[in-house]
Amino acid sequence: MPAFESIIGLCRLSSTCRVAGADLFVKTTASAEVAALTEAIEGGGRRVTVLFAGKECVLGVTGVDSGCPIELVVPGVSKGAEVVAQNVGALIGHNMGRFQVQAPEAFYLIDEDYALGEGAVPEIVGAYLRCIEFSELLRLVADDFRPGAGSAGTAIILTGRKLSIPLTYQQWVLDDVPSEKALADSRCAIFEDHLKTGRIEALKRVLVRFLFNVSAEQRFEVLLKSWEEIVQAFLSDFDIYASGFNFDKAREEFERRKLDFVVKMNAASSDAMAKLIAIPVGQGLLASQMKTDASYAVVNHALLTASLVFLLVAAMLIAAHVLTIRQVGSELKAESDMLRQRALPTYTQLRPMIHQLQTRIRFHQWAVPIIMSILLLVTSGMTFVAYAQLTGRT
C-alpha cells in the first residue's frame, strides 16, 4: 500500500499523467520529493524508468538536476486489487469488467484526481459506487448469481419465468443510477422483516414483468432507468399481497401445529415411560431369584448380567426419547421462525403460546429422563446390593 500511495503522490506532482495499456507515463520535473516517491515505488516491488531528454537515466531521478523536465514510466502500474485508471470509464472496463460489481480495494482515477476513501467524492465516482451497491441489492434479490468468465456476472430470477440480468454496463449508464436516498429507501422497503419473503417475491415478479421482453444486454441499463417506476409497481403489488394475507388463517394453522406438537411429545413420553417402567420391575424379579446357596453362584452371576443388560437398554430408550423431543423442538423453532418472517404481528400475538410449548418441550426433554434415571439407578442399586449380600461381599 505505501508504494501505491507513492504512485498517487507522483501523479499529483506531474504536469501530465496517462495510462497506456498496463503502463503509467508521468511527465514532471526532477526534485527531492519526486526522487523519494520513486524510491518508495521501487521499494514496493514496482520498477520505475526515468527518461531525461528522451534517454533512460540509469541513476534515476537523483541523476538529473533539480527542476529539469523528466518522464517516468511505471510498467504494470495496476497490481491485484490496487488499480490506477485514467477515469471511471477505464476502471469499469478494467480486467474484463471485474470491477463493475465490486470496487477494487484501492484505486486512483487520474482524470478525476480521486483515490478511494478520500473525503470529496466526484459525482461520477459516487454514481459508480452506488451502482455497485445497486448490483449487490439485485444479487440479494436474485435466486442465483453466476460469476462470468471475463464479465461482471449474471443475476438469475426464477419466479414464473427465468430471467437473466447480465450486470454489465458502460459509463453512460451511471447517469441513471438511483440516488443514495432512493437506494436506502428501496433496500428498507424490500428487506423489511415484516412479510420479507412476500416482499422479495413481489419484486421478482415486477422485474420479470418489466424486463422479460427486453434484450439481455440492455436489461441492466433499463433496470436503472426504470427503477423508480419499478419500485412503485413493487409497492403496489406488495400492498395487494399484504391486504390479501389472511392473518387469522395463519393463527389457526399454527394452533393446529401446536396440537400436533403436544400429541408428539405426549406420545414420545408415554411410549418411553411404558417401556422403561417394566425394567425396574424386571430388575426386582431378578433380585428375588438370587440364591444364597454357593452352588447357585453361576445363576447369580447370570442374573446380575441380565440386570446390567436391562440398564443398558434403559439408557438407550432414554437417549432415544431425548432425541425425539429435540426433533419436536427443532420443528417448533422452524415453524415459529417462518411465522415471524411471514407475519410479525401474528407471531407477536402467538409468542406466549410458543413460549408455553417451548417450556413443555424442555420438561419432556429433561424431567422425564431424570425421573426415570433416578428410578433405574435405585432399582439397579438394590439388585447389586442383593447380589453382594447373597455372595457374602458386604
Side-chain angles (χ1 to χ4, degrees):
M1 188 62 75
F4 185 74
E5 292 173 352
S6 298
I7 292 175
I8 296 173
L10 188 62
C11 292
R12 286 176 168 162
L13 287 176
S14 66
S15 56
T16 61
C17 187
R18 62 186 176 86
V19 175
D23 302 336
L24 174 68
F25 295 85
V26 178
K27 289 184 178 181
T28 185
T29 55
S31 66
E33 187 176 3
V34 171
L37 290 173
T38 56
E39 290 178 1
I41 294 170
E42 290 182 331
R46 291 177 169 89
R47 181 172 174 269
V48 180
T49 301
V50 181
L51 300 176
F52 174 64
K55 296 181 180 180
E56 182 176 351
C57 185
V58 179
L59 297 178
V61 178
T62 56
V64 181
D65 293 336
S66 179
C68 292
I70 57 175
E71 184 175 358
L72 307 177
V73 182
V74 184
V77 66
S78 298
K79 286 189 176 182
E82 299 176 347
V83 179
V84 175
Q86 194 69 37
N87 46 46
V88 173
L91 179 61
I92 290 173
H94 186 78
N95 199 4
M96 297 182 293
R98 171 188 172 189
F99 300 123
Q100 292 187 1
V101 296
Q102 181 180 7
E105 292 180 8
F107 66 78
Y108 176 70
L109 304 175
I110 296 171
D111 292 348
E112 288 82 6
D113 190 20
Y114 174 77
L116 183 63
E118 294 180 339
V121 182
E123 184 177 348
I124 186 67
V125 179
Y128 164 67
L129 297 175
R130 292 199 308 276
C131 192
I132 292 176
E133 183 181 350
F134 183 84
S135 300
E136 179 62 23
L137 184 150
L138 188 61
R139 290 171 63 175
L140 292 174
V141 169
D143 296 291
D144 189 20
F145 177 76
R146 298 177 184 175
S151 66
T154 303
I156 309 294
I157 293 176
L158 303 173
T159 298
R161 292 174 288 186
K162 180 180 177 180
L163 180 71
S164 301
I165 307 176
L167 304 183
T168 303
Y169 55 91
Q170 301 298 327
Q171 182 175 348
W172 63 77
V173 173
L174 298 178
D175 295 335
D176 300 313
V177 176
S179 66
E180 186 174 350
K181 182 179 184 304
L183 278 176
D185 291 344
S186 300
R187 184 179 289 272
C188 181
I190 295 167
F191 299 110
E192 186 179 342
D193 286 339
H194 176 52
L195 298 178
K196 182 177 179 179
T197 302
R199 291 173 185 271
I200 294 176
E201 290 300 318
L203 178 60
K204 288 193 287 188
R205 287 193 295 270
V206 171
L207 291 177
V208 171
R209 191 163 69 239
F210 269 78
L211 302 176
F212 189 77
N213 293 323
V214 178
S215 63
E217 296 76 13
Q218 295 181 321
R219 282 173 181 167
F220 191 73
E221 181 178 354
V222 172
L223 181 60
L224 287 172
K225 289 182 177 179
S226 308
W227 183 244
E228 183 177 353
E229 187 179 354
I230 287 172
V231 170
Q232 292 302 319
F234 150 70
L235 292 174
S236 177
D237 282 16
F238 175 72
D239 286 342
I240 295 173
Y241 167 81
S243 62
F245 188 84
N246 193 332
F247 293 101
D248 291 334
K249 182 178 179 181
R251 181 186 182 92
E252 292 173 3
E253 180 180 350
F254 193 84
E255 288 180 343
R256 286 196 298 270
R257 292 292 295 155
K258 170 194 172 183
L259 179 60
D260 185 36
F261 291 137
V262 172
V263 169
K264 285 183 178 180
M265 286 186 288
N266 290 340
S269 297
S270 298
D271 182 60
M273 287 189 291
K275 293 176 179 178
L276 289 170
I277 200 67
I279 293 177
V281 175
Q283 288 185 324
L285 292 174
L286 291 176
S288 67
Q289 297 299 315
M290 289 185 178
K291 309 296 183 181
T292 57
D293 194 337
S295 61
Y296 288 95
V298 174
V299 175
N300 290 341
H301 282 296
L303 293 173
L304 180 63
T305 302
S307 178
L308 291 173
V309 171
F310 278 163
L311 193 60
L312 290 175
V313 171
M316 292 175 61
L317 290 173
I318 291 173
H321 169 75
V322 171
L323 292 174
T324 301
I325 298 300
R326 282 185 178 180
Q327 178 63 33
V328 175
S330 298
E331 292 178 8
L332 173 62
K333 185 178 184 302
E335 289 285 339
S336 59
D337 288 346
M338 183 179 298
L339 182 64
R340 182 174 62 244
Q341 292 179 4
R342 293 176 58 196
L344 186 59
T346 304
Y347 171 81
T348 303
Q349 294 175 3
L350 295 178
R351 188 178 296 169
M353 182 193 302
I354 295 172
H355 287 170
Q356 289 174 5
L357 280 173
Q358 291 172 339
T359 302
R360 192 163 186 165
I361 286 174
R362 285 193 292 270
F363 173 80
H364 282 269
Q365 182 177 344
W366 296 104
V368 173
I370 289 173
I371 293 172
M372 295 308 300
S373 297
I374 292 174
L375 180 60
L376 287 167
L377 289 174
V378 170
T379 54
S380 299
M382 293 172 61
T383 304
F384 293 135
V385 169
Y387 173 80
Q389 289 177 342
L390 291 173
T391 55
R393 296 177 184 177
T394 56

